[in-house]
Amino acid sequence: LVTFHRPQIDDAIAKAKAKGDTVDEARFRGYLEYVELKAPCDGVVDKIYQTLGEIPIDVGPPVMTLQDESSYRFVVRVPADVQQMSMALGTKFEVVLEDELGTVAGTVIEFLPPMGTDVPVVLALAPHQGIEDRLSGTVRVASGRVEAGLVPKSAVTLRGKVPVVRIWDAESKSITERTVKLGAEIPPDVVILAGAFAKDSIVVPGRKAPQ
């Protein structure tokens, strides 16, 4: 990431040696190990404080900050049943960051100890410009499921504005009509949200015989 000007360090070592200052000489020699400053981890450069120019050898001003990729963590508390149903390890979500910083991809990597009825879920975020400590965001998580059935659209008829289906009753060996609540169409079928159940035998009109 950074290369320091070695002659400045060599000059400081020489001056300390000439003075007989063994403590400073040893300290400055230790600086030689950091002439090339390497990143201790995979990450993203955040802020750069020093560029080309002179930096005091013994003051220790900040040079830059580096964000460790593994430190991009977003923690969200959700009810335990929602975590179990919708937030398994490896599940991917989109996190909308505050301050109009945009959307960043996140992956569930860890669960923290429960807090009452909630479970703190940890998402690892992809590196994203502008992310900083304690930045807030929002994530959409499915909180429930609705069971629905599919029937051929041809099995649904209207009585006025009320949709109905015909159901075969094996015990009475008869057909009855039942009102239903419709959902979206998934051609050639339609979603039944209420009124008919999995074990019901829905009567579907047959095809007309060719003339």
Side-chain angles (χ1 to χ4, degrees):
L1 289 178
V2 177
T3 299
F4 292 105
H5 189 53
R6 177 164 179 163
Q8 183 184 9
I9 301 175
D10 290 336
D11 183 58
I13 292 172
K15 288 180 179 179
K17 185 175 181 180
K19 292 179 181 179
D21 190 340
T22 57
V23 175
D24 275 357
E25 181 184 355
R27 179 158 52 86
F28 293 141
R29 287 189 184 279
Y31 292 171
L32 293 176
E33 298 179 8
Y34 303 100
V35 169
E36 291 187 356
L37 190 60
K38 299 180 180 180
C41 59
D42 292 333
V44 177
V45 174
D46 183 18
K47 296 180 181 179
I48 299 176
Y49 298 98
Q50 305 290 341
T51 56
L52 293 176
E54 293 186 358
I55 299 175
I57 188 173
D58 205 26
V59 175
V63 178
M64 67 175 58
T65 56
L66 179 74
Q67 295 191 24
D68 184 352
E69 282 189 352
S70 64
S71 68
Y72 287 85
R73 293 159 58 91
F74 180 81
V75 182
V76 56
R77 285 177 54 178
V78 299
D81 58 339
V82 173
Q83 177 271 310
Q84 294 172 3
M85 178 181 65
S86 304
M87 303 190 77
L89 290 174
T91 307
K92 298 184 181 300
F93 293 93
E94 286 191 345
V95 180
V96 181
L97 302 174
E98 67 176 6
D99 298 333
E100 299 183 353
L101 291 178
T103 301
V104 59
T107 305
V108 177
I109 60 169
E110 184 182 356
F111 307 121
L112 300 180
M115 303 176 67
T117 59
D118 293 342
V119 175
V121 179
V122 181
L123 279 70
L125 301 183
H128 186 86
Q129 185 176 5
I131 288 183
E132 58 185 21
D133 189 32
R134 300 187 184 281
L135 186 69
S136 297
T138 57
V139 59
R140 291 183 177 274
V141 183
S143 60
R145 294 180 180 176
V146 176
E147 291 189 359
L150 284 177
V151 299
K153 187 177 179 181
S154 60
V156 180
T157 57
L158 293 178
R159 295 289 180 261
K161 294 183 179 180
V162 179
V164 299
V165 294
R166 302 172 70 200
I167 296 178
W168 168 254
D169 187 342
E171 291 186 4
S172 63
K173 296 182 180 181
S174 62
I175 294 175
T176 60
E177 287 190 348
R178 190 181 298 172
T179 60
V180 292
K181 180 179 180 182
L182 301 181
E185 290 189 16
I186 307 177
D189 300 325
V190 62
V191 175
I192 300 293
L193 298 176
F197 306 94
K199 294 182 179 180
D200 289 336
S201 297
I202 306 295
V203 177
V204 180
R207 294 182 179 180
K208 291 184 179 180
Q211 298 295 328

